[in-house]
Amino acid sequence: MPRRPRSSSSSSTAPRNRTPQPVRVRRRTFGDVVKAFLAFVVLAGLVVGVPLALASQAGWPLPGGAPSLDWLQREIDVHTFLNILTVIVWFAWAQFTACVLVEVKAAVSGVGVPGHVPGAGASQVLARQLVAALLLVGATAASLTPGLSQLGQNLEGNQKPAVAAAQQTPGLFAPQQEQATAVAANALAAQASQAAAHAPHADGAAATREGATKYYRIQPPEGRHHDSLWEIADRHLGDGRRYKEIYELNKDRVQPDGSRLSEASLIRPGWIMEMPGDARGGDLVEMPDATPNVSERVQGQIQDYAKSGSGAHAHERHAADREAQGGGHTADVSVPHQRPAPTPAPAATPQAHDTATPAASDSAFGLPEALLTAPLLAAGLLGALGRRRRQALWQSALAGVGGRRGMEPATPEGDAQDAQDALLVGADPDGVRRLDRSLRALAAALAGESRALPVVYAAWLSGNGDLHLQLAQPAGKPPAPWQLGQDQTFWMLARADADSVEDTDTAAPYPGLVSLGTMDDSRLLLNLESVPGIVSLAGATEDRAAVFASVAAELATNGWSDRMTITLVGFGDDLTPLAPNRLRHLNGVEDLFETMEAETRQRRGALGAAGHDSVLTGRTGPARHTRWAPHLVLLAAQPSDEEALRLAELAADASRLGIGYLVGTEGSELPGAAWEMEITDEGRLLAPLLGLELDAQTLPAAQRQSVVDLFTAADPHSGPDGTPPHTPPFLVDVTEQGRPAVYARLVGSYEIIGLDAPEDDRSEQLHEALALLLLHREGVHPRVLASALWPRGVTEDVRDALIERLRAWLGADPDGTPRLGTDATGRLTLARTVVSDLDVLRSLYHEATQGRGVDNRAVRGRLLTDALVLVRGPLLADRPEGRYRWLTHEIVDAQLPLLVSDTGLALSEFHLEKGRAEKAIEALNAALRTAPTDERLWHELLRATHATEDEARLRALAADLTTRSGARGLPPRTEALLDELLPTWRGGAAAG
């Protein structure tokens, strides 16, 4: 965006860059002039000199007549060979000349990235450099495209990509208007600019002059600048944040074109805005009753508009005027209303993900709001944490030999437990899946139509679940079910259509999207890899760090990307456990330059060799297998001016290469930055020229550490002495004296013994709540319980009523202690007299392998046999459709098969010690019914079958294993074991 000087009177938290100022252009040096002269000489020589030399020395390339058959049969001599070379040189000259024309057009117009000349490659790069050097000293140098600003000139002097607060949207490049709309808007604006009449106002005290009410006519776009309420308030009221007063004066009033200004609509050229009484400016007009230079039609439009505000909105206008006179500004400034206009959803359309309504009493529970209010970030972190825990379980199981079994992940405590609960409450995994499917389906549809992916600057997720993509420039009609939004630069997918989109096997088209915050009920995701240069973030160090941590964590764990590299410079080495394959850390800026200069060259070369304009071309069509993963750089500490300019040169062509840069600054402007943002002490993210004022998404230091602790605790070697914990978090008395009061069977079909059946209308919810509590003996936060039972949200009174019903249903122990209690942190806990078969299964295995069964063989065999008998099928096998969706966040689906496998292996070993191979086979087959993919069970089954000395039986088992493995083949360790036990198995498998 063009750089705007800061006002000397602005505070550190005030929005910056509000008043349009002339672009600062540095003085051109003698070296620039020499470079331009040399570029001119080279261009003249190549474009004009080469064809003149060829024409004079080798002749005109076109033949004088049609070639005959004799010519084709003639022997190729030196003269013929030279003629062929001459034709090749003519073709090369024509291609280079086309490149020069394309680059000159793009540089002079300043719109978009230069078009790609087929097969040009290095020729177009040379043409781009020469044209840039030539224009460096010209008046058009300030409007060079981002692709031309990489050529070594000082970027601070060049005009950055023009980014204005667009009238159609809260920002990120004002979209181009259709030609017909622009022509009509220009005509209306020309008439309105001549209006100078006046009319009495309903409240004379509200006007600067008695009886004068002022109006403003929305102006048509000029180049890349579009009117917005913020800019209008900044020009005529002295503070862009007073846009709300203008909105309140004009909302819902009928405009001349029949539309209305509403909370989700846009301002359009030709619309009329009544202004507060203290508005100033030459382009304001009063009621034009006696203005000779205004047409009667325009006078009538303004008069009709004035009458439309005399009734229902009079009190709003007066309140705004009084506030304007008093010099005060609203403290609860909301967002500009120029944002994507969502299509009203039918009444039956499901609403966006929500959580239980927080109440004042919930504040005592201490769940971090930063995670509660970041649904996409929370979903990514929760999914990555689950994968890490499952991976740790399997690593522990496969690496264990003999006694190394029964690994139990550590239960989070303290701040880590609060962070986990906040992730469970705040996560919106359905929203992540919907976003991912929608974007991939769009890429597949465009590839099917042989169309390139459009450049997307941002995505907006509205409160009703609609998805809006904000394009850099119009890209035609989107493929169904996508549709055009409020103008040609918005593509919109309704929630109902997104729910019906199917999974597609295509690359993620926009993996660089990351959440920045919310405007009212809409969430903004900025596409970092598409920004034409550096994005700077100003503000206090702590506030900036919170934004950077949020961006890094979401990029590292999001569900709408495939592969990605995220380079953290000077911060974030502690974040590596979140995604070791994505995150990397560099100590300083010099290391960054060394790394990114090499990668920038490599990507340019790869794109040129593949014939792609940008990485977006490589993500669709025949070449999509290359993926072209993005590389995003986060530099939290402010670089020096020299480093910033060097970085800006490096980033000039980054958007085409799939590289993005987010750089922090202490508060002063960052030289060479394309887009500028600021995080305030109040957690507001401001970018006035982008039209943005967001509630920022952050990850403060305390929550960041808690999240990191969750991931490090999932390490299989995270025990106190470097070994994983072995003891389950909850053990029960497995003797006859330990008979529970309430016994729930969860492994298999869900049954409850010891309680009467609850009321029919509450039965399913009560059963589900009890199952959640049984799987979390450490306690369940009430808000976690509410979000599990009501994923779309519920009020506090409904939640509390269910908890009381559950408490009444469970009853109390003989000593009067309620079986459903509350611990010191406010979490719901079950009494030890309420037990599940999963608790018993864990306790039996632990007692057999680490308790009484260690020194008593008979006890060990009995305990292991009893444990295996408890396994009646998968967890909650008959759960109702649509319920228990919270199980997707749990790792019990991985723990249960491993626990059953460990039990079966231990019992098999118990029987094989006494030579009872058939009993061992029986135990292993029982375990395989629950854990059919556990390679350890198959290995022990092969050994037990070999112990029967029945070769035919072993050969049949080998053939069965080969059939099960399919085209993938047997795992190497299984093949090695078969080679040892049955050397001839390969011949039998081939014959089968």
Side-chain angles (χ1 to χ4, degrees):
M1 70 180 71
R3 186 172 302 285
R4 311 295 175 88
R6 294 174 62 96
S7 172
S8 59
S9 61
S10 60
S11 65
S12 61
T13 61
R16 298 191 293 147
N17 304 330
R18 294 180 297 186
T19 303
Q21 297 291 338
V23 178
R24 297 195 302 268
V25 181
R26 70 174 176 89
R27 292 183 178 274
R28 303 305 177 190
T29 65
F30 177 74
D32 294 335
V33 177
V34 172
K35 179 188 285 188
F37 175 74
L38 293 177
F40 173 76
V41 172
V42 174
L43 277 175
L46 292 176
V47 176
V48 180
V50 168
L52 291 178
L54 288 173
S56 63
Q57 299 299 320
W60 189 248
L62 299 179
S68 63
L69 184 62
D70 294 339
W71 182 81
L72 295 176
Q73 296 175 344
R74 190 179 304 167
E75 182 180 356
I76 298 177
D77 53 14
V78 175
H79 179 71
T80 304
F81 181 72
L82 290 176
N83 287 339
I84 294 174
L85 290 179
T86 302
V87 172
I88 293 175
V89 174
W90 274 107
F91 275 120
W93 169 83
Q95 184 187 60
F96 178 78
T97 303
C99 293
V100 171
L101 294 176
V102 167
E103 295 297 332
V104 169
K105 178 181 179 298
V108 173
S109 65
V111 178
V113 176
H116 176 69
V117 178
S123 296
Q124 187 161 5
V125 173
L126 176 61
R128 181 176 304 169
Q129 293 174 345
L130 292 173
V131 171
L134 179 61
L135 295 180
L136 188 63
V137 296
T140 59
S143 62
L144 295 181
T145 60
L148 298 177
S149 57
Q150 62 183 341
L151 304 171
Q153 65 267 34
N154 187 326
L155 294 185
E156 186 180 13
N158 288 344
Q159 178 180 351
K160 292 174 231 161
V163 182
Q167 64 190 31
Q168 288 90 349
T169 144
L172 311 189
F173 277 81
Q176 300 295 324
Q177 297 294 316
E178 296 182 8
Q179 185 65 25
T181 303
V183 171
N186 284 329
L188 287 173
Q191 295 172 345
S193 64
Q194 301 170 357
H198 63 277
H201 192 279
D203 186 353
T208 305
R209 189 176 71 242
E210 182 66 25
T213 300
K214 296 182 180 179
Y215 295 87
Y216 177 81
R217 193 88 170 191
I218 303 300
Q219 299 300 303
E222 295 181 7
R224 295 182 179 179
H225 177 270
H226 294 66
D227 252 346
S228 70
L229 292 183
W230 182 289
E231 294 245 351
I232 295 169
D234 188 44
R235 288 197 305 269
H236 300 293
L237 300 176
D239 189 343
R241 287 178 292 184
R242 292 184 62 186
Y243 71 88
K244 188 176 181 182
E245 299 173 31
I246 305 175
Y247 168 73
E248 292 295 339
L249 283 171
N250 296 278
K251 68 177 182 179
D252 298 326
R253 292 168 62 177
V254 179
Q255 294 289 340
D257 61 0
S259 55
R260 299 172 184 267
L261 174 64
S262 62
E263 185 172 328
S265 65
L266 312 169
I267 61 173
R268 302 175 184 171
W271 275 13
I272 300 165
M273 295 288 117
E274 182 178 344
M275 301 293 291
D278 62 337
R280 298 287 190 276
D283 52 353
L284 295 177
V285 297
E286 299 172 2
M287 290 295 289
D289 293 338
T291 303
N293 295 326
V294 178
S295 68
E296 294 183 0
R297 180 173 62 85
V298 176
Q299 291 184 34
Q301 288 178 352
I302 298 180
Q303 289 171 350
D304 292 342
Y305 187 75
K307 294 176 182 177
S308 69
S310 60
H313 303 288
H315 66 285
E316 296 172 343
R317 296 200 312 276
H318 297 166
D321 289 343
R322 285 193 299 270
E323 181 183 17
Q325 282 189 323
H329 306 310
T330 54
D332 54 340
V333 177
S334 63
V335 304
H337 297 277
Q338 297 75 23
R339 58 192 174 93
T343 303
T349 301
Q351 295 300 307
H353 171 83
D354 199 359
T355 60
T357 303
S361 59
D362 286 337
S363 61
F365 295 147
L367 296 188
E369 286 293 324
L371 297 174
L372 289 173
T373 57
L376 304 184
L377 169 62
L381 289 171
L382 200 59
L385 181 60
R387 291 189 295 272
R388 180 65 52 81
R389 287 173 171 171
R390 287 176 174 83
Q391 182 182 20
L393 284 173
W394 281 105
Q395 286 177 347
S396 175
L398 295 177
V401 178
R404 177 60 206 102
R405 291 172 177 155
M407 182 266 184
E408 292 287 341
T411 301
E413 298 178 352
D415 292 339
Q417 187 178 18
D418 290 340
Q420 178 174 277
D421 286 344
L423 294 176
L424 290 167
V425 175
D428 183 12
D430 290 339
V432 171
R433 285 190 292 269
R434 192 182 308 114
L435 175 63
D436 181 48
R437 285 198 310 265
S438 300
L439 295 177
R440 291 180 192 267
L442 174 62
L446 289 171
E449 298 177 3
S450 299
R451 296 170 60 187
L453 285 166
V455 177
V456 169
Y457 283 140
W460 293 87
L461 291 172
S462 64
N464 63 358
D466 295 344
L467 172 62
H468 302 256
L469 296 183
Q470 189 169 349
L471 313 184
Q473 56 189 5
K477 183 179 180 181
W482 289 79
Q483 53 190 295
L484 286 174
Q486 59 264 33
D487 61 41
Q488 295 290 325
T489 59
F490 275 93
W491 285 4
M492 191 272 288
L493 182 66
R495 166 70 179 270
D497 293 327
D499 288 335
S500 62
V501 170
E502 298 181 354
D503 291 330
T504 55
D505 183 18
T506 189
Y510 303 112
L513 287 169
V514 63
S515 302
L516 290 185
T518 56
M519 303 177 76
D520 285 346
D521 59 349
S522 295
R523 183 169 299 276
L524 168 66
L525 288 83
L526 178 68
N527 191 5
L528 269 181
E529 67 168 337
S530 73
V531 177
I534 295 175
V535 179
S536 70
L537 177 66
T541 302
E542 184 177 349
D543 297 326
R544 290 201 326 270
V547 174
F548 272 88
S550 171
V551 170
E554 185 169 300
L555 287 173
T557 61
N558 74 54
W560 52 87
S561 62
D562 298 317
R563 295 183 296 117
M564 182 185 303
T565 300
I566 307 162
T567 298
L568 310 179
V569 186
F571 86 105
D573 53 338
D574 58 325
L575 294 175
T576 304
L578 272 59
N581 294 330
R582 287 192 178 187
L583 289 168
R584 69 177 182 181
H585 177 263
L586 297 178
N587 291 324
V589 180
E590 285 303 320
D591 294 337
L592 175 66
F593 286 138
E594 181 180 353
T595 300
M596 297 311 300
E597 285 173 352
E599 178 158 350
T600 299
R601 288 193 300 269
Q602 186 274 332
R603 289 201 174 211
R604 284 195 184 120
L607 282 177
H612 296 318
D613 293 329
S614 70
V615 295
L616 291 180
T617 313
R619 290 178 187 161
T620 55
R624 66 177 179 269
H625 64 279
T626 59
R627 300 288 175 169
W628 299 101
H631 187 161
L632 304 176
V633 176
L634 307 182
L635 174 58
Q638 179 174 353
S640 67
D641 288 354
E642 180 181 353
E643 291 171 337
L645 289 171
R646 185 179 172 188
L647 193 61
E649 290 189 31
L650 192 61
D653 201 24
S655 60
R656 190 176 65 89
L657 306 176
I659 302 175
Y661 294 87
L662 178 62
V663 181
T665 175
E666 293 291 343
S668 60
E669 294 178 345
L670 185 70
W675 294 357
E676 295 176 338
M677 299 185 295
E678 178 182 1
I679 178 69
T680 70
D681 296 338
E682 295 79 19
R684 303 286 289 171
L685 191 66
L686 307 178
L689 283 184
L690 294 179
L692 295 179
E693 186 177 350
L694 306 170
D695 289 321
Q697 178 174 298
T698 61
L699 187 59
Q703 284 75 53
R704 166 178 163 177
Q705 184 59 50
S706 298
V707 168
V708 171
D709 290 344
L710 288 173
F711 279 81
T712 54
D715 191 309
H717 303 289
S718 62
D721 57 352
T723 60
H726 290 253
T727 304
F730 180 75
L731 293 174
V732 300
D733 185 356
V734 294
T735 66
E736 285 295 326
Q737 293 73 27
R739 188 177 298 274
V742 178
Y743 181 67
R745 293 179 175 177
L746 305 179
V747 184
S749 58
Y750 192 1
E751 301 176 19
I752 297 179
I753 301 171
L755 291 177
D756 296 331
E759 302 175 6
D760 292 340
D761 59 338
R762 302 294 181 185
S763 177
E764 287 188 353
Q765 286 183 330
L766 292 174
H767 278 77
E768 186 174 358
L770 179 56
L772 178 63
L773 289 165
L774 286 167
L775 293 177
H776 290 276
R777 302 303 305 223
E778 72 277 9
V780 176
H781 196 288
R783 294 182 69 176
V784 173
L785 179 66
S787 65
L789 300 182
W790 294 279
R792 292 168 55 188
V794 69
T795 57
E796 180 191 4
D797 57 339
V798 173
R799 178 198 68 192
D800 292 344
L802 179 82
I803 293 175
E804 290 307 314
R805 289 190 184 93
L806 180 61
R807 183 174 283 113
W809 180 44
L810 291 174
D813 287 331
D815 61 358
T817 304
R819 292 171 181 152
L820 178 62
T822 304
D823 64 11
T825 66
R827 290 175 171 83
L828 302 171
T829 58
L830 291 173
R832 300 188 64 85
T833 55
V834 182
V835 174
S836 73
D837 54 355
L838 186 57
D839 297 327
V840 176
L841 176 60
R842 287 195 184 104
S843 301
L844 287 170
Y845 176 77
H846 181 268
E847 189 70 15
T849 57
Q850 299 181 51
R852 292 180 295 130
V854 173
D855 299 321
N856 190 319
R857 174 180 168 79
V859 170
R860 181 166 76 254
R862 185 177 72 253
L863 292 173
L864 291 173
T865 302
D866 290 345
L868 209 55
V869 169
L870 289 176
V871 182
R872 301 174 298 120
L875 188 75
L876 298 168
D878 56 354
R879 56 181 179 268
E881 184 71 23
R883 302 202 71 88
Y884 297 85
R885 299 177 64 180
W886 47 269
L887 280 173
T888 58
H889 300 314
E890 305 286 341
I891 63 167
V892 67
D893 60 336
Q895 288 176 298
L896 178 60
L898 283 175
L899 178 59
V900 173
S901 295
D902 288 344
T903 304
L905 290 169
L907 187 56
S908 171
E909 180 183 6
F910 171 81
H911 289 305
L912 287 176
E913 287 175 354
K914 293 296 184 178
R916 297 194 290 265
E918 293 296 340
K919 288 288 187 180
I921 292 172
E922 181 181 347
L924 293 168
N925 282 327
L928 278 168
R929 286 192 287 271
T930 300
T933 61
D934 195 327
E935 189 179 0
R936 300 174 301 159
L937 291 176
W938 290 106
H939 290 175
E940 289 304 310
L941 185 58
L942 286 170
R943 293 188 179 96
T945 304
H946 180 264
T948 64
E949 300 182 353
D950 187 342
E951 184 174 328
R953 188 174 179 182
L954 182 59
R955 190 178 300 278
L957 179 58
D960 181 39
L961 277 174
T962 303
T963 302
R964 288 173 181 268
S965 63
R968 295 174 300 175
L970 291 173
R973 286 185 295 186
T974 304
E975 286 190 353
L977 181 59
L978 279 172
D979 288 338
E980 176 187 348
L981 301 179
L982 186 64
T984 61
W985 73 274
R986 297 180 188 274

